[in-house]
Every structure is written in structure tokens, then in C-alpha cells.
Amino acid sequence: MENETVSKNFIEMIIDKDLEEGHCKTVHTRFPPEPNGYLHIGHAKSILLNYGLAQKYGGKFNLRFDDTNPTKEKTEFVEAIKSDIEWLGADWEDRLFFASDYFDQMYEAAVKLIKKGKAYVSDLSADEIREYRGTLTEPGKEDPSSNRSVEENLALFEDMKNGKFADGEKVLRAKIDMSSSNINMRDPVIYRVAHMNHHRTGDKWCIYPMYDFAHPIEDAIEGITHSICTLEFEDHRPLYDWVVRELEYEMPPKQIEFAKLYLTNVVTGKRYIKRLVEEGIVDGWDDPRLVSIAALRRRGFTPESIKMFVELCGVSKANSSVDYAMLEYCIREDLKLKKPRMMAILDPVKVIIDNYPEGQVEELEVTNNLENEALGSRKVPFGRELYIDREDFMEEPPKKYFRMFPGNEVRLMNAYFVTCNSFVKDEDGKVTEIHCTYDPASRGGNSPDGRKVKGTIQWVSAAHAVPAEVRLYENIVDEEKGVYNEDGSLNLNPNSLTVLKNCMLEENLKDAEAYDSFQFVRQGFFCVDAKDSTPEHLVFNRIVSLKSSFKLPTA
Ligand code: ATP
Ligand code: MG
């Protein structure tokens, strides 16, 4: 119990106190995405945090689309966001809402403020409003419209609603304090005229509420107790509190801010990902090089790995950046014991075992995962002709190279000891064939007489091999130089995608389906690409390589 108290994050401590002091009776959170793009790893943090709190306190979690801005929102994004959240395992049950569902209530709320003398219709243009607002060091100036009578304001606001004004001609402002040290409190605009079609309400409205006014109302209507958002809204909190106070909600929601999740040298922001998509630099929002949730899923990340990552990152009030290697660590940890270790040759070169009977095929028993017996074993065919990886052979090996070279004996993993005798090259000097002899007494890869070999290499039977395409990924931006060039363009890594077209996989992989993942011995973890792979043309994405410099910080 004591440990549990110690490991609570600052939000949980606030919630504990609120429950204790009776500010709320239950915990009700929400995730409020704007449907203007796909979700990314940062959103995953927010989703898992909000959903996790609801679960922990036996409360509820809502999904609410923040669609108060009619220009950018698209139904495609709504559907993609829903499926990403489901995939992560956060369950909103029957509580799927749209901010636009509350436009009537928001209008009524604005009328209520006008009646209380707390809002007025302004004639100032956007430029004038900016000019009147003052600066961080100078107070703002009073809006000449701010002393209109309640009746006049009500009539003008109704005219706004009825389309009597052009875009920008009038706005509704909250009447707070033009000399407040917080600029957000200097009579913020709460409604604007915009003759735009909305993806859900169509042409019903030509006035739309501003985010800072709409959001607290949405929270209050849904009975949200803790409205968790990111740090950039900290200065907006007094306005949030003002709105819920002036509208006299019985159980006012409380805004709590936490620091955004940033990944070092990785493009996370929605608008930057959007730019890569729109400029055609990547293959859509789910390009496996991106950190959108759809991309991580396509690449082969699991919801468990993302949960582990988010938990390791923790929740804090201070902005910081997390290394991508930590995300890689999490997926390795998650897959390590769950997945069989298969043989796959990414850059094949043929090996012929001259003393192995022609036409003979043996089924060798191979353990699926030496660290997890529960995964059992499988049969792998072995024959006279094999493929090995080109980098596992050298004509003239440097010191400490223990793999195949003329005269050297190595172990073919789980199969036999073989000794290389000769090789054949084409006109360009490229090795095309390697000739070996095998020791029949070493079946299973065991030494028959105690003699030792230093190298063990993977192989696949040429007669049974399944051809496949394998895609290797690196960071899409150049890590050395940072995300942006001086002119604001993205600094792209030309090697972010490597396509290997002639890979040879062991026969057992031939029926692999979308999202299936495996360890390829010595190469890393790989996942069948859900978009491009077909039974006739298998395509695998490398999720992550096996090696890492990342060390989990010790507590
Ligand atoms: P972006 O910064 O990528 O454009 P956004 O904040 O505009 O994202 P929204 O759809 O408005 O995207 O965000 C939905 C929720 O996700 C908000 O509550 C927001 O605070 C949270 N969120 C967005 N980015 C991050 C992040 N990097 N880390 C944690 N939470 C985030
Ligand atoms: Mg936003």
C-alpha cells in the first residue's frame, strides 16, 4: 500500500484530494481530439492517461470529437481516430460525443452571459481587437462596444446567428478585464461569424464558438470531473474557470495540465506529419516511418508496447524529450518471448553442399524460442542447396571474422557443421555460389567429437524458400542535423527506407498474414505489411533491430 502511494503521479494526487474534499464524487475523464488528422504517439499518451485514470478510480471515460472548427474537419479522420483508440484498448462504451452536438447549449450559454452583463457584441475588426488587447507589459484598452445594453446585445447576437452579418463583421466577447495581467482574460472572443458548412451540422449555424468558451461547456455538459490537457493551456485555465463559474454549473469540471510527450528528433506534431503526407514524402498517414498510431500499428508495434512506453515516460509538468530508443526497447521487450525465431535471408547467396545427396530433404526440428519453451518447436526443411546471407561469407576475412570463408568450418544453425571449399564469381566479381562439404555426424548442429566452431549462421533451403520483400526503416529526419533546415523545410534522411526485394524466408513463413510478427534470427523483429503484402508477394516491415544501446534507467 505504501508503495502505491509513493508511485502516484501528480494528477492522481489532485484527484485523491478532490475526492476527499468532496469537489467530486467520481472520476470522469475524456479524450477530445480535433478530427483534423490522425492520432500520434503523443495522443496515445493522453488517451492512456485519461482512460487509465477512469479505470483506476472506477469512473468513466468519454471520447469527444472537438469539431467546433468547421474548416478542417473530415469524416475520414473521425473513423481513423476511433479505430486507433479501440486498438489501444481504451473503451468509451456508449459515450461517443461531438462538440457540435452542443451548439444549441453553447448558444444558450452565450445568451446567459449576455443577460448577466458578462458578454457583449463587438464591432471591432480582428486587427483592432489585437491592437486594443495590449501586450504583456501594457494593459489593453476598453472596447467601445463594451457598454452596450443587454437588450441591444441580445438583439445583435441574434442577428449574428441569423446571418445578418458577414464573416468578421461582429464578434461576441466575454466581459472580463481589459487590464488583466493574463492576456487571455482581456475580453476574449467567444463567438465568431463564419458562413461555413460544418461536417455534422451542415448550414444550420453561421456562428461558431471559440475553443476556450466551448471546451469547458462540453466538459460540464458531460459531467467531466477532471479535464486533462497539455501545458500550453495553463494560461487559459483562469478563463476556463471563469466560464464554468459564470455559467453556474453545479459540479464545475477542473482543468489539469501535463507536459506533452516529445520524441527526440522524431516528427510528432500533427501538422508536420500532415505536411509529410500532403507533400507525398511518405506513403500516407500510416507510413511505417511515422509515429502516428496507424503507422506504429502497421509497422508492427503492439498496444502493450505503447502502454509500456507511456508508463515509462511518466506524467509530469515539465516539458522534455524522450529518446526513440526507449520506444524500441518497449517493443523488443514485448515481442522477445512472444514470437518464434525464424530464419530469413535478406541478401541471399547460394550455398551448395557437394557431399549431400542430391534430391534428399530432411526435416530438422527447431525450437521456436529458446527463452520460452511454451512456444514449442517446428520442422524446417534442409537440402543440398541453401541460401545464406551475403555478409556471412568473405573471400578474404579480416581478423576475428568467424563466419564462412574458404577453409573455415562453421555451424549452420540447428543443422550441420559445414566447411567451405570453393566459390564461384560472376564477371563483376560478385560471389554467386559457395561450395561446401558437411559432416553428417554433426546433425542438429552438435559437435560430433568435441571440436569447436566459432561461427553459427542462419540459412534456408533453396528448394523450399519463400521469396519476399523486406523493408528496413530509419528515422525520417536526419538525426544529426535536427528536424528542420534553416529555411523551415524538413531535413529528410535519404536512407529512411531501404527496400530489399530478393529476400528468402523459411517455408514456415509462407502463410503469414497482415500484422503477424516474428523474430528473424540475428536481424530483428518483422511484421507483415497490412497494406502491400499479398500471399503471392509477401512484404515484411522491420519493426526494430535486435541491438540497442538503450538502457532502462535504474530507479
Ligand atoms: P498536435 O500538437 O500534434 O497538432 P493537437 O494538440 O492539436 O496535436 P488535438 O486533437 O487537439 O491535437 O489533441 C487531442 C488531445 O491530445 C489534447 O488533449 C492534447 O492536449 C493531447 N495531445 C496532443 N499532443 C500531445 C502530446 N504530444 N503529448 C500528450 N498529449 C498530447
Ligand atoms: Mg489542437
Side-chain angles (χ1 to χ4, degrees):
M1 246 1 240
E2 205 168 288
N3 255 341
E4 207 172 286
T5 322
V6 173
S7 67
K8 279 191 175 169
N9 66 45
F10 80 94
I11 297 179
E12 292 164 342
M13 306 220 268
I14 294 174
I15 293 177
D16 284 347
K17 192 154 180 277
D18 286 347
L19 286 167
E20 212 177 283
E21 294 176 355
H23 294 301
C24 60
K25 294 191 187 73
T26 53
V27 173
H28 201 148
T29 59
R30 87 286 173 262
F31 177 66
E34 205 182 327
N36 61 350
Y38 280 57
L39 301 179
H40 53 61
I41 183 85
H43 296 115
K45 173 164 186 172
S46 175
I47 293 162
L48 294 170
L49 172 64
N50 279 292
Y51 179 63
L53 287 169
Q55 275 197 312
K56 203 167 209 165
Y57 288 90
K60 289 180 177 151
F61 166 79
N62 293 5
L63 170 59
R64 180 205 312 141
F65 285 97
D66 217 319
D67 59 352
T68 52
N69 183 1
T71 47
K72 289 175 281 181
E73 287 131 11
K74 283 206 194 131
T75 311
E76 176 205 346
F77 297 138
V78 170
E79 291 311 313
I81 289 170
K82 279 159 65 180
S83 77
D84 287 346
I85 300 173
E86 271 171 22
W87 179 75
L88 278 175
D91 186 2
W92 61 84
E93 298 173 353
D94 58 351
R95 290 177 305 279
L96 166 66
F97 301 113
F98 289 83
S100 56
D101 295 343
Y102 312 132
F103 281 166
D104 284 303
Q105 282 131 297
M106 290 174 192
Y107 180 81
E108 290 309 320
V111 168
K112 177 168 181 162
L113 291 184
I114 294 173
K115 286 183 178 161
K116 287 177 79 175
K118 298 285 182 174
Y120 59 91
V121 173
S122 168
D123 306 333
L124 295 184
S125 68
D127 284 342
E128 286 165 329
I129 286 179
R130 206 170 304 121
E131 206 180 295
Y132 274 64
R133 187 155 43 206
T135 63
L136 284 174
T137 50
E138 279 169 59
K141 277 191 296 185
E142 196 174 309
D143 184 323
S145 319
S146 64
N147 291 317
R148 282 197 161 120
S149 69
V150 168
E151 290 67 35
E152 197 184 349
N153 280 317
L154 286 172
L156 283 168
F157 187 51
E158 193 166 341
D159 287 345
M160 279 171 68
K161 179 182 110 171
N162 290 334
K164 300 233 170 104
F165 301 111
D167 292 5
E169 204 180 330
K170 296 264 188 279
V171 290
L172 184 70
R173 300 182 77 173
K175 192 170 183 170
I176 309 180
D177 179 5
M178 285 310 290
S179 58
S180 171
S181 57
N182 184 334
I183 292 186
N184 295 304
M185 298 298 271
R186 294 183 190 167
D187 293 10
V189 172
I190 58 176
Y191 256 98
R192 64 188 170 125
V193 178
H195 292 268
M196 283 189 289
N197 185 277
H198 186 281
H199 77 126
R200 284 177 66 88
T201 57
D203 292 324
K204 179 175 176 195
W205 296 93
C206 63
I207 54 172
Y208 289 96
M210 302 303 284
Y211 182 89
D212 282 341
F213 176 63
H215 204 85
I217 295 176
E218 295 155 22
D219 286 339
I221 291 172
E222 291 178 13
I224 300 304
T225 54
H226 297 86
S227 177
I228 297 164
C229 63
T230 43
L231 231 43
E232 69 273 24
F233 290 101
E234 197 164 22
D235 291 344
H236 298 241
R237 191 184 342 131
L239 179 51
Y240 185 102
D241 290 342
W242 184 90
V243 171
V244 294
R245 191 171 61 244
E246 291 302 335
L247 291 174
E248 299 162 53
Y249 290 110
E250 227 165 274
M251 275 283 173
K254 180 181 221 169
Q255 176 180 307
I256 305 173
E257 311 85 17
F258 72 101
K260 272 194 172 180
L261 169 66
Y262 292 101
L263 286 173
T264 309
N265 287 323
V266 173
V267 182
T268 355
K270 210 186 306 184
R271 78 198 148 95
Y272 306 114
I273 296 183
K274 194 176 202 140
R275 194 167 141 186
L276 290 168
V277 174
E278 281 168 1
E279 288 179 19
I281 293 164
V282 295
D283 164 34
W285 286 91
D286 60 357
D287 186 294
R289 289 168 290 181
L290 300 176
V291 288
S292 60
I293 296 176
L296 291 167
R297 172 171 42 173
R298 181 172 165 200
R299 175 119 171 216
F301 280 82
T302 57
E304 292 76 18
S305 65
I306 291 173
K307 266 176 224 155
M308 189 196 302
F309 175 68
V310 163
E311 271 160 30
L312 281 177
C313 290
V315 186
S316 106
K317 271 269 185 195
N319 276 319
S320 66
S321 183
V322 181
D323 206 281
Y324 186 79
M326 189 156 110
L327 185 58
E328 295 189 317
Y329 165 84
C330 294
I331 186 66
R332 268 190 216 102
E333 282 298 302
D334 186 39
L335 298 182
K336 190 164 79 178
L337 301 181
K338 286 187 194 165
K339 299 296 169 181
R341 301 175 180 179
M342 315 295 279
M343 293 203 280
I345 306 301
L346 303 191
D347 184 10
V349 58
K350 186 162 274 181
V351 168
I352 298 166
I353 304 174
D354 293 311
N355 62 339
Y356 193 87
E358 237 165 292
Q360 177 173 310
V361 177
E362 279 179 86
E363 296 275 329
L364 299 170
E365 194 72 21
V366 172
T367 306
N368 281 326
N369 188 323
L370 288 170
E371 292 175 64
N372 181 8
E373 273 181 25
L375 292 187
S377 63
R378 65 184 189 280
K379 294 216 171 357
V380 180
F382 183 86
R384 187 171 190 265
E385 299 198 359
L386 312 169
Y387 292 111
I388 65 163
D389 248 303
R390 190 166 287 282
E391 62 167 31
D392 285 339
F393 174 81
M394 281 186 107
E395 187 180 344
E396 288 170 40
K399 260 196 183 146
K400 300 215 170 143
Y401 184 88
F402 302 122
R403 291 174 260 170
M404 197 180 275
F405 55 87
N408 190 39
E409 184 169 53
V410 296
R411 175 189 290 108
L412 293 176
M413 192 173 282
N414 301 304
Y416 288 104
F417 283 14
V418 293
T419 306
C420 170
N421 303 314
S422 63
F423 57 91
V424 179
K425 283 205 241 181
D426 65 10
E427 294 127 48
D428 305 326
K430 197 174 169 190
V431 175
T432 55
E433 238 175 65
I434 300 162
H435 287 265
C436 297
T437 47
Y438 84 119
D439 177 357
S442 63
R443 194 171 196 273
N446 305 309
S447 180
D449 52 9
R451 77 177 186 274
K452 289 208 162 53
V453 292
K454 280 197 169 154
T456 298
I457 64 183
Q458 73 265 29
W459 51 273
V460 299
S461 161
H464 305 87
V466 183
E469 175 178 327
V470 171
R471 298 172 182 171
L472 309 179
Y473 302 102
E474 282 178 22
N475 202 340
I476 198 157
V477 294
D478 192 316
E479 297 188 47
E480 300 279 293
K481 296 186 203 141
V483 178
Y484 302 102
N485 294 312
E486 265 173 28
D487 63 359
S489 61
L490 287 163
N491 202 345
L492 299 171
N493 170 7
N495 303 317
S496 63
L497 170 65
T498 304
V499 180
L500 305 173
K501 294 232 177 234
N502 305 308
C503 306
M504 291 293 178
L505 315 181
E506 73 168 79
E507 196 185 23
N508 293 303
L509 286 163
K510 74 171 188 304
D511 297 322
E513 289 172 5
Y515 300 114
D516 284 351
S517 60
F518 306 89
Q519 183 176 143
F520 288 176
V521 170
R522 288 167 62 208
Q523 307 280 9
F525 291 97
F526 292 77
C527 177
V528 178
D529 188 79
K531 212 163 167 178
D532 298 336
S533 190
T534 63
E536 295 74 40
H537 180 76
L538 286 177
V539 179
F540 278 84
N541 298 314
R542 180 158 73 192
I543 311 167
V544 68
S545 64
L546 294 177
K547 288 178 217 95
S548 167
S549 53
F550 178 78
K551 291 258 174 349
L552 196 62
T554 42

